[in-house]
Protein backbone atom coordinates (compact mmCIF):
# COMPACT_ATOMS: atom_id res chain seq x y z
CA UNK A 1 0.00 0.00 0.00
CA UNK A 2 2.83 2.42 0.89
CA UNK A 3 4.50 1.73 -2.48
CA UNK A 4 1.26 2.39 -4.35
CA UNK A 5 0.68 5.66 -2.51
CA UNK A 6 4.17 6.98 -3.15
CA UNK A 7 4.00 5.90 -6.78
CA UNK A 8 0.71 7.80 -7.12
CA UNK A 9 2.34 10.86 -5.59
CA UNK A 10 5.19 10.62 -8.09
CA UNK A 11 2.67 10.46 -10.96
CA UNK A 12 0.96 13.55 -9.58
CA UNK A 13 4.28 15.39 -9.45
CA UNK A 14 5.07 14.54 -13.06
CA UNK A 15 1.59 15.33 -14.36
CA UNK A 16 1.41 18.58 -12.45
CA UNK A 17 4.82 19.66 -13.73
CA UNK A 18 3.66 19.01 -17.29
CA UNK A 19 0.43 20.87 -16.67
CA UNK A 20 2.40 23.84 -15.37
CA UNK A 21 4.54 23.90 -18.50
CA UNK A 22 1.45 23.69 -20.73
CA UNK A 23 -0.29 26.44 -18.79
CA UNK A 24 2.69 28.77 -19.14
CA UNK A 25 2.85 28.09 -22.88
CA UNK A 26 -0.82 28.94 -23.30
CA UNK A 27 -0.42 32.09 -21.25
CA UNK A 28 2.44 33.31 -23.39
CA UNK A 29 0.54 32.62 -26.62
CA UNK A 30 -2.55 34.46 -25.43
CA UNK A 31 -0.65 37.58 -24.35
CA UNK A 32 -1.08 40.24 -27.04
CA UNK A 33 2.37 41.78 -26.67
CA UNK A 34 4.10 38.38 -26.27
CA UNK A 35 4.94 39.23 -22.65
CA UNK A 36 3.90 37.68 -19.37
CA UNK A 37 2.75 39.74 -16.39
CA UNK A 38 5.13 39.77 -13.47
CA UNK A 39 4.21 37.35 -10.69
CA UNK A 40 2.89 38.84 -7.45
CA UNK A 41 4.96 36.26 -5.54
CA UNK A 42 8.69 36.43 -4.92
CA UNK A 43 9.13 32.65 -5.21
CA UNK A 44 7.16 29.43 -5.64
CA UNK A 45 7.30 28.52 -1.95
CA UNK A 46 5.60 31.79 -1.04
CA UNK A 47 2.93 31.16 -3.66
CA UNK A 48 2.34 27.62 -2.41
CA UNK A 49 1.83 28.82 1.17
CA UNK A 50 -0.76 31.43 0.15
CA UNK A 51 -2.50 29.03 -2.23
CA UNK A 52 -2.60 26.17 0.30
CA UNK A 53 -3.84 28.28 3.23
CA UNK A 54 -6.61 29.99 1.28
CA UNK A 55 -7.66 26.87 -0.64
CA UNK A 56 -8.05 24.98 2.65
CA UNK A 57 -10.04 27.84 4.18
CA UNK A 58 -12.26 28.08 1.09
CA UNK A 59 -12.90 24.31 1.17
CA UNK A 60 -13.81 24.43 4.87
CA UNK A 61 -16.17 27.36 4.31
CA UNK A 62 -17.83 25.64 1.33
CA UNK A 63 -18.37 22.41 3.30
CA UNK A 64 -19.98 24.45 6.08
CA UNK A 65 -22.27 26.17 3.55
CA UNK A 66 -23.45 22.81 2.16
CA UNK A 67 -24.58 21.79 5.70
CA UNK A 68 -22.90 18.42 5.14
CA UNK A 69 -20.84 18.73 8.34
CA UNK A 70 -23.91 19.27 10.49
CA UNK A 71 -25.43 15.85 9.96
CA UNK A 72 -28.38 14.42 11.89
CA UNK A 73 -29.36 15.66 15.34
CA UNK A 74 -31.79 14.05 17.75
CA UNK A 75 -34.55 16.30 19.02
CA UNK A 76 -34.67 15.51 22.73
CA UNK A 77 -38.34 16.50 22.86
CA UNK A 78 -39.63 14.33 20.00
CA UNK A 79 -36.85 11.74 19.74
CA UNK A 80 -36.77 12.28 15.97
CA UNK A 81 -33.65 12.73 13.86
CA UNK A 82 -33.65 16.10 12.12
CA UNK A 83 -31.44 17.73 9.51
CA UNK A 84 -30.53 20.91 7.82
CA UNK A 85 -30.97 20.43 4.05
CA UNK A 86 -27.81 19.36 2.22
CA UNK A 87 -26.94 21.87 -0.52
CA UNK A 88 -24.33 20.30 -2.87
CA UNK A 89 -24.50 23.33 -5.19
CA UNK A 90 -22.68 25.37 -2.54
CA UNK A 91 -19.58 23.24 -3.09
CA UNK A 92 -19.40 24.15 -6.78
CA UNK A 93 -17.77 27.48 -5.88
CA UNK A 94 -14.68 25.55 -4.80
CA UNK A 95 -13.92 24.46 -8.40
CA UNK A 96 -11.68 27.46 -9.27
CA UNK A 97 -9.72 26.98 -6.04
CA UNK A 98 -8.98 23.30 -6.67
CA UNK A 99 -8.02 24.03 -10.27
CA UNK A 100 -5.70 26.89 -9.24
CA UNK A 101 -4.01 24.85 -6.52
CA UNK A 102 -3.49 21.85 -8.78
CA UNK A 103 -2.27 23.64 -11.90
CA UNK A 104 -0.54 26.90 -10.96
CA UNK A 105 2.32 25.61 -8.81
CA UNK A 106 5.62 24.75 -10.53
CA UNK A 107 6.84 21.79 -8.52
CA UNK A 108 10.43 21.97 -9.70
CA UNK A 109 10.71 25.46 -8.21
CA UNK A 110 9.66 24.36 -4.71
CA UNK A 111 11.98 23.53 -1.83
CA UNK A 112 12.42 19.82 -1.14
CA UNK A 113 10.18 19.97 1.94
CA UNK A 114 7.42 21.72 0.04
CA UNK A 115 7.70 19.32 -2.90
CA UNK A 116 6.88 16.45 -0.55
CA UNK A 117 4.04 18.37 1.10
CA UNK A 118 2.55 19.46 -2.24
CA UNK A 119 2.59 15.90 -3.60
CA UNK A 120 0.80 14.58 -0.51
CA UNK A 121 -1.77 17.38 -0.56
CA UNK A 122 -2.56 16.83 -4.25
CA UNK A 123 -3.04 13.14 -3.63
CA UNK A 124 -5.40 13.87 -0.72
CA UNK A 125 -7.26 16.58 -2.63
CA UNK A 126 -8.92 13.81 -4.64
CA UNK A 127 -11.61 13.64 -1.94
CA UNK A 128 -12.73 17.19 -2.69
CA UNK A 129 -12.54 16.66 -6.45
CA UNK A 130 -14.86 13.68 -6.01
CA UNK A 131 -17.25 15.85 -4.00
CA UNK A 132 -17.11 18.47 -6.74
CA UNK A 133 -17.88 15.92 -9.46
CA UNK A 134 -20.81 14.65 -7.40
CA UNK A 135 -22.14 18.18 -6.90
CA UNK A 136 -21.96 18.75 -10.66
CA UNK A 137 -23.92 15.54 -11.26
CA UNK A 138 -20.97 13.73 -12.87
CA UNK A 139 -21.13 10.78 -10.44
CA UNK A 140 -23.90 8.32 -9.71
CA UNK A 141 -23.06 8.52 -6.01
CA UNK A 142 -24.80 11.28 -4.05
CA UNK A 143 -22.89 14.18 -2.52
CA UNK A 144 -23.43 13.08 1.07
CA UNK A 145 -22.47 9.46 0.29
CA UNK A 146 -19.16 10.65 -1.19
CA UNK A 147 -18.58 12.78 1.89
CA UNK A 148 -19.27 9.85 4.22
CA UNK A 149 -16.83 7.64 2.30
CA UNK A 150 -14.15 10.33 2.54
CA UNK A 151 -14.86 10.79 6.24
CA UNK A 152 -13.78 7.20 6.89
CA UNK A 153 -10.23 7.86 5.69
CA UNK A 154 -7.33 8.15 8.13
CA UNK A 155 -6.63 11.76 9.20
CA UNK A 156 -3.21 11.60 7.52
CA UNK A 157 -4.96 11.07 4.18
CA UNK A 158 -7.24 14.12 4.48
CA UNK A 159 -6.44 17.31 2.55
CA UNK A 160 -7.42 19.74 5.32
CA UNK A 161 -5.38 17.82 7.89
CA UNK A 162 -2.28 17.72 5.68
CA UNK A 163 -2.45 21.45 4.94
CA UNK A 164 -3.22 22.24 8.58
CA UNK A 165 -0.17 20.33 9.80
CA UNK A 166 2.11 22.12 7.32
CA UNK A 167 0.55 25.59 7.56
CA UNK A 168 -1.24 25.98 10.94
CA UNK A 169 -2.62 29.36 9.87
CA UNK A 170 -5.05 27.48 7.60
CA UNK A 171 -7.00 26.18 10.62
CA UNK A 172 -7.31 29.46 12.49
CA UNK A 173 -10.51 30.41 10.69
CA UNK A 174 -12.40 30.08 7.39
CA UNK A 175 -11.86 33.68 6.27
CA UNK A 176 -10.04 33.29 2.96
CA UNK A 177 -8.76 35.99 0.63
CA UNK A 178 -10.85 36.29 -2.59
CA UNK A 179 -9.39 34.07 -5.29
CA UNK A 180 -8.87 36.89 -7.77
CA UNK A 181 -6.56 38.53 -5.22
CA UNK A 182 -4.70 35.28 -4.52
CA UNK A 183 -4.17 33.98 -8.06
CA UNK A 184 -1.15 35.07 -10.07
CA UNK A 185 -2.25 37.36 -12.93
CA UNK A 186 -0.78 34.91 -15.44
CA UNK A 187 -3.33 32.24 -14.54
CA UNK A 188 -6.80 32.16 -16.10
CA UNK A 189 -9.27 31.27 -13.37
CA UNK A 190 -11.81 28.55 -13.95
CA UNK A 191 -15.47 29.57 -13.99
CA UNK A 192 -17.76 28.23 -11.28
CA UNK A 193 -19.81 25.36 -12.76
CA UNK A 194 -23.57 25.73 -12.96
CA UNK A 195 -25.41 23.98 -10.12
CA UNK A 196 -27.09 20.66 -10.80
CA UNK A 197 -30.16 19.70 -8.76
CA UNK A 198 -29.41 16.49 -6.91
CA UNK A 199 -31.35 14.49 -4.35
CA UNK A 200 -29.13 13.20 -1.54
CA UNK A 201 -29.60 9.75 -0.07
CA UNK A 202 -30.70 11.23 3.25
CA UNK A 203 -33.26 13.40 1.46
CA UNK A 204 -34.84 10.27 0.02
CA UNK A 205 -35.25 8.84 3.50
CA UNK A 206 -36.15 12.16 5.14
CA UNK A 207 -38.03 14.32 2.60
CA UNK A 208 -39.00 16.94 5.20
CA UNK A 209 -35.60 17.69 6.72
CA UNK A 210 -35.60 20.80 8.88
CA UNK A 211 -34.03 22.25 11.99
CA UNK A 212 -36.20 22.25 15.09
CA UNK A 213 -36.02 25.55 16.93
CA UNK A 214 -37.78 24.28 20.05
CA UNK A 215 -36.83 26.17 23.20
CA UNK A 216 -37.66 24.44 26.46
CA UNK A 217 -38.48 25.81 29.89
CA UNK A 218 -34.77 26.34 30.59
CA UNK A 219 -34.55 28.69 27.59
CA UNK A 220 -32.11 26.44 25.74
CA UNK A 221 -32.12 25.41 22.08
CA UNK A 222 -30.97 21.78 22.31
CA UNK A 223 -30.88 21.12 18.56
CA UNK A 224 -28.87 24.25 17.86
CA UNK A 225 -26.43 23.34 20.62
CA UNK A 226 -25.94 19.93 19.01
CA UNK A 227 -25.32 21.52 15.63
CA UNK A 228 -22.63 23.80 17.03
CA UNK A 229 -20.95 21.00 18.98
CA UNK A 230 -20.99 18.46 16.15
CA UNK A 231 -19.81 20.95 13.54
CA UNK A 232 -16.88 22.04 15.67
CA UNK A 233 -15.95 18.45 16.49
CA UNK A 234 -16.22 17.30 12.86
CA UNK A 235 -14.20 20.19 11.44
CA UNK A 236 -11.66 20.90 14.17
CA UNK A 237 -11.26 17.83 16.41
CA UNK A 238 -7.56 17.59 15.49
CA UNK A 239 -6.91 21.09 16.80
CA UNK A 240 -9.28 21.79 19.68
CA UNK A 241 -11.57 20.31 22.30
CA UNK A 242 -15.00 21.83 22.90
CA UNK A 243 -17.39 21.23 25.76
CA UNK A 244 -20.78 22.65 26.70
CA UNK A 245 -22.01 23.48 30.20
CA UNK A 246 -25.73 23.36 29.49
CA UNK A 247 -26.71 24.87 32.81
CA UNK A 248 -24.55 27.96 32.23
CA UNK A 249 -25.11 27.87 28.43
CA UNK A 250 -21.32 28.14 27.97
CA UNK A 251 -19.21 26.61 25.21
CA UNK A 252 -15.58 26.19 26.32
CA UNK A 253 -12.90 25.92 23.62
CA UNK A 254 -9.43 24.55 24.39
CA UNK A 255 -6.90 24.56 21.56
CA UNK A 256 -4.69 21.44 21.52
CA UNK A 257 -2.51 21.87 18.42
CA UNK A 258 0.92 22.85 19.73
CA UNK A 259 2.02 24.74 16.60
CA UNK A 260 -1.14 26.80 16.64
CA UNK A 261 -0.79 27.44 20.39
CA UNK A 262 2.80 28.59 19.93
CA UNK A 263 1.79 31.01 17.18
CA UNK A 264 -1.04 32.38 19.31
CA UNK A 265 1.28 33.10 22.22
CA UNK A 266 4.03 34.46 19.97
CA UNK A 267 1.52 37.05 18.79
CA UNK A 268 0.05 37.76 22.24
CA UNK A 269 3.55 38.27 23.71
CA UNK A 270 4.35 40.74 20.92
CA UNK A 271 7.00 38.57 19.30
CA UNK A 272 5.15 38.19 15.98
CA UNK A 273 2.93 41.20 15.27
CA UNK A 274 2.56 40.00 11.69
CA UNK A 275 0.08 37.39 12.99
CA UNK A 276 -2.43 40.04 14.03
CA UNK A 277 -4.79 39.34 11.12
CA UNK A 278 -4.69 35.60 11.82
CA UNK A 279 -5.47 36.16 15.51
CA UNK A 280 -8.29 38.56 14.70
CA UNK A 281 -9.70 36.12 12.16
CA UNK A 282 -9.57 33.28 14.67
CA UNK A 283 -11.47 35.04 17.45
CA UNK A 284 -13.82 36.76 15.01
CA UNK A 285 -14.91 33.33 13.74
CA UNK A 286 -15.92 32.51 17.34
CA UNK A 287 -17.76 35.82 17.68
CA UNK A 288 -19.73 35.04 14.50
CA UNK A 289 -20.78 31.69 15.95
CA UNK A 290 -21.84 33.50 19.13
CA UNK A 291 -23.86 35.95 17.06
CA UNK A 292 -25.48 33.05 15.21
CA UNK A 293 -26.41 31.46 18.56
CA UNK A 294 -27.85 34.74 19.80
CA UNK A 295 -29.95 35.27 16.67
CA UNK A 296 -31.22 31.69 16.41
CA UNK A 297 -31.02 30.28 19.93
CA UNK A 298 -31.82 33.24 22.15
CA UNK A 299 -29.92 35.21 24.76
CA UNK A 300 -27.41 34.00 27.32
CA UNK A 301 -25.00 31.80 25.33
CA UNK A 302 -21.29 32.33 26.06
CA UNK A 303 -18.23 31.16 24.13
CA UNK A 304 -15.06 31.01 26.21
CA UNK A 305 -11.63 30.39 24.67
CA UNK A 306 -9.51 28.90 27.45
CA UNK A 307 -5.83 29.60 27.95
CA UNK A 308 -4.22 26.27 26.90
CA UNK A 309 -1.28 26.93 29.24
CA UNK A 310 -3.50 27.76 32.21
CA UNK A 311 -7.05 26.53 31.80
CA UNK A 312 -8.15 28.45 34.89
CA UNK A 313 -7.88 31.57 32.77
CA UNK A 314 -9.51 32.68 29.51
CA UNK A 315 -8.09 34.27 26.39
CA UNK A 316 -11.43 35.46 25.04
CA UNK A 317 -15.01 35.52 26.32
CA UNK A 318 -17.92 36.28 23.98
CA UNK A 319 -21.58 36.56 24.95
CA UNK A 320 -24.52 37.15 22.61
CA UNK A 321 -22.21 38.14 19.76
CA UNK A 322 -20.21 40.68 21.78
CA UNK A 323 -16.70 40.46 23.26
CA UNK A 324 -16.86 40.76 27.05
CA UNK A 325 -13.16 39.96 27.56
CA UNK A 326 -10.07 39.83 25.34
CA UNK A 327 -6.64 39.12 26.75
CA UNK A 328 -5.09 41.38 24.10
CA UNK A 329 -7.15 44.44 25.13
Amino acid sequence: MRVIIYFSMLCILLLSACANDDQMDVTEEETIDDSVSESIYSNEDEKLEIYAINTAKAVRAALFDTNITKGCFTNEQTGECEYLPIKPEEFLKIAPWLDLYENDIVINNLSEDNKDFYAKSLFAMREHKDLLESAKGEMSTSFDEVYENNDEKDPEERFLRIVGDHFPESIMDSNFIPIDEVADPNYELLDIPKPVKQVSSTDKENPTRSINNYTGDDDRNIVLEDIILENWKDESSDYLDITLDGEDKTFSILYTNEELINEMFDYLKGDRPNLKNSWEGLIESHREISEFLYENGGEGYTIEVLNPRNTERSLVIIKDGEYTYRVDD
Side-chain angles (χ1 to χ4, degrees):
M1 179 61 72
R2 187 182 298 263
V3 173
I4 293 174
I5 290 175
Y6 282 115
F7 176 75
S8 300
M9 289 181 181
L10 177 61
C11 291
I12 290 172
L13 284 171
L14 294 173
L15 290 172
S16 184
C18 294
N20 281 311
D21 290 342
D22 293 343
Q23 178 65 37
M24 184 58 70
D25 290 339
V26 170
T27 302
E28 292 176 352
E29 290 174 2
E30 292 179 350
T31 303
I32 296 176
D33 59 359
D34 293 328
S35 64
V36 177
S37 301
E38 184 177 352
S39 172
I40 61 176
Y41 299 101
S42 59
N43 56 62
E44 209 67 11
D45 287 318
E46 179 190 7
K47 182 199 284 189
L48 174 65
E49 179 176 2
I50 299 300
Y51 278 22
I53 289 172
N54 285 280
T55 299
K57 290 184 176 185
V59 167
R60 187 177 292 108
L63 286 172
F64 183 84
D65 290 342
T66 66
N67 294 328
I68 193 68
T69 59
K70 299 168 188 176
C72 172
F73 304 93
T74 302
N75 184 326
E76 292 188 358
Q77 304 302 318
T78 65
E80 295 181 356
C81 201
E82 299 174 349
Y83 300 81
L84 288 170
I86 303 299
K87 299 184 289 185
E89 67 276 6
E90 291 292 335
F91 201 72
L92 295 175
K93 58 192 175 187
I94 212 65
W97 283 103
L98 300 186
D99 181 74
L100 177 71
Y101 186 76
E102 183 176 21
N103 296 310
D104 195 35
I105 297 293
V106 181
I107 291 183
N108 291 336
N109 293 344
L110 293 173
S111 64
E112 290 303 317
D113 183 48
N114 277 336
K115 283 180 182 178
D116 183 56
F117 156 73
Y118 185 53
K120 291 178 180 177
S121 66
L122 284 181
F123 186 78
M125 197 172 71
R126 180 70 251 176
E127 63 175 300
H128 299 305
K129 295 179 73 173
D130 287 345
L131 278 172
L132 185 62
E133 290 174 9
S134 178
K136 289 190 291 186
E138 296 178 356
M139 297 179 68
S140 58
T141 310
S142 68
F143 184 82
D144 42 336
E145 288 173 330
V146 174
Y147 179 83
E148 289 172 5
N149 289 335
N150 287 332
D151 203 37
E152 295 176 358
K153 296 178 180 178
D154 292 334
E156 293 76 13
E157 299 176 11
R158 308 298 300 277
F159 176 75
L160 295 179
R161 170 65 179 269
I162 291 171
V163 176
D165 286 346
H166 201 70
F167 298 117
E169 184 183 341
S170 70
I171 64 174
M172 281 188 164
D173 56 66
S174 296
N175 300 322
F176 55 89
I177 303 172
I179 192 170
D180 55 352
E181 297 178 22
V182 169
D184 238 343
N186 296 321
Y187 195 80
E188 184 177 350
L189 292 172
L190 190 72
D191 292 332
I192 297 176
K194 293 182 179 180
V196 176
K197 184 174 178 59
Q198 184 186 65
V199 178
S200 68
S201 61
T202 46
D203 283 334
K204 297 172 185 175
E205 300 168 5
N206 304 278
T208 57
R209 297 174 58 162
S210 64
I211 179 171
N212 187 303
N213 284 322
Y214 174 83
T215 301
D217 295 336
D218 55 358
D219 198 29
R220 291 174 57 196
N221 189 316
I222 304 297
V223 173
L224 198 59
E225 290 174 4
D226 286 344
I227 289 175
I228 298 298
L229 283 171
E230 290 301 322
N231 182 70
W232 246 319
K233 289 177 180 178
D234 286 347
E235 291 296 302
S236 308
S237 60
D238 294 329
Y239 308 102
L240 61 81
D241 291 330
I242 180 169
T243 57
L244 169 64
D245 184 330
E247 185 175 348
D248 291 338
K249 298 172 69 173
T250 298
F251 291 87
S252 296
I253 298 172
L254 179 64
Y255 280 93
T256 57
N257 181 275
E258 196 59 35
E259 287 188 70
L260 178 57
I261 292 170
N262 289 337
E263 291 198 349
M264 287 169 55
F265 279 94
D266 283 347
Y267 167 72
L268 294 173
K269 289 187 298 184
D271 295 338
R272 299 179 66 183
N274 60 302
L275 293 177
K276 177 178 175 60
N277 289 340
S278 296
W279 165 256
E280 293 291 342
L282 177 67
I283 63 174
E284 179 62 16
S285 67
H286 298 329
R287 192 203 64 77
E288 290 174 356
I289 294 294
S290 175
E291 187 174 58
F292 174 80
L293 273 167
Y294 173 62
E295 293 175 351
N296 296 275
E299 298 180 352
Y301 280 102
T302 298
I303 294 179
E304 180 181 24
V305 181
L306 300 174
N307 183 333
R309 294 179 179 170
N310 181 0
T311 55
E312 298 297 317
R313 294 182 157 292
S314 302
L315 298 178
V316 177
I317 300 176
I318 311 165
K319 186 172 183 178
D320 296 338
E322 301 289 339
Y323 295 110
T324 59
Y325 173 75
R326 289 179 52 162
V327 70
D328 55 329
D329 282 348

